Amino acid sequence: MTPDPPPPAIDPDRFRAVMARWATGVSVVTARVGADPAGLTVNALLSVSLEPPAVLVSLSRDADTLPVVERSGYFAASFLSAEQRALSERFARTLPSAEKFRDVAAHPAPHGSPLLDGALAALECRLRTRVPAFDHVLLLGEVVHVEVGGEAAPLVYYRSAYATAEGTDRLRLSARRP
Ligand SMILES: Cc1cc2nc3c(=O)[nH]c(=O)nc-3n(C[C@H](O)[C@H](O)[C@H](O)COP(=O)(O)O)c2cc1C
């Protein structure tokens, strides 16, 4: 039997263009080992489970923050408001950790991960599972601490640019069939 031909390769630019139309929030994922914090800007974040509460983040295999999360066993995510765009830029740059955190107002979560002050909300997770995924590593964390901040517009990432969400409109999901 002849094997199936390989599927046609997807052009990477086209794939990027498709995923750029998937709007997301922006978070800063952090961890700390001893006195050394680490953090990076992340939009690949997903709520996975309610029981137990769990989230998943996808970090590049090359991210300097990854080994810090792995050694710590905990990580945090701070969800950025539209006013915190400068933090998104700073934590997306290749900088020594000390510079990323210089003059950044943050406070420690119970297991030491830094939470950025002024975030829309934040959570700290215990790292439960680590799954290598091509050029990324998926980190599944059980949420062990949550904080809800004030009301503010979220920072949105869309089409490789920052955007803001204009207002909200409640879902109208009724149990009745149409
Ligand atoms: C809006 C935005 C979203 C990003 N999302 C991710 C992500 O989900 N995962 C990831 O590994 N890198 C992501 N990055 C890139 C990292 O923030 C960037 O590579 C950073 O320099 C890594 O820092 P580190 O090597 O100190 O950990 C994103 C960057 C931006 C601007």
Side-chain angles (χ1 to χ4, degrees), residues 82 153-156 162-166:
L155 185 61
V156 175
Y162 295 110
T164 46
E166 285 174 26

Side-chain angles (χ1 to χ4, degrees), residues 52-77:
V55 300
L56 181 117
V57 294
S58 176
L59 300 196
S60 165
R61 270 196 321 220
D62 300 331
D64 289 342
T65 305
L66 180 60
V68 182
V69 173
E70 291 169 339
R71 277 169 52 215
S72 157
Y74 289 88
F75 66 90

Side-chain angles (χ1 to χ4, degrees), residues 37-117:
L40 80 170
T41 302
V42 164
N43 69 337
L45 181 149
L46 169 72
S47 167
V48 167
S49 157
L50 278 177
E51 288 185 23
V55 300
L56 181 117
V57 294
S58 176
L59 300 196
S60 165
R61 270 196 321 220
D62 300 331
D64 289 342
T65 305
L66 180 60
V68 182
V69 173
E70 291 169 339
R71 277 169 52 215
S72 157
Y74 289 88
F75 66 90
S78 299
F79 301 169
L80 299 186
S81 76
E83 290 179 1
Q84 293 179 305
R85 175 182 167 157
L87 290 175
S88 171
E89 316 247 305
R90 183 194 291 218
F91 280 89
R93 288 175 59 202
T94 309
L95 285 176
S97 276
E99 273 177 53
K100 283 189 176 182
F101 283 89
R102 181 167 300 144
D103 299 326
V104 170
H107 56 284
H111 295 279
S113 316
L115 303 179
L116 304 190
D117 291 357

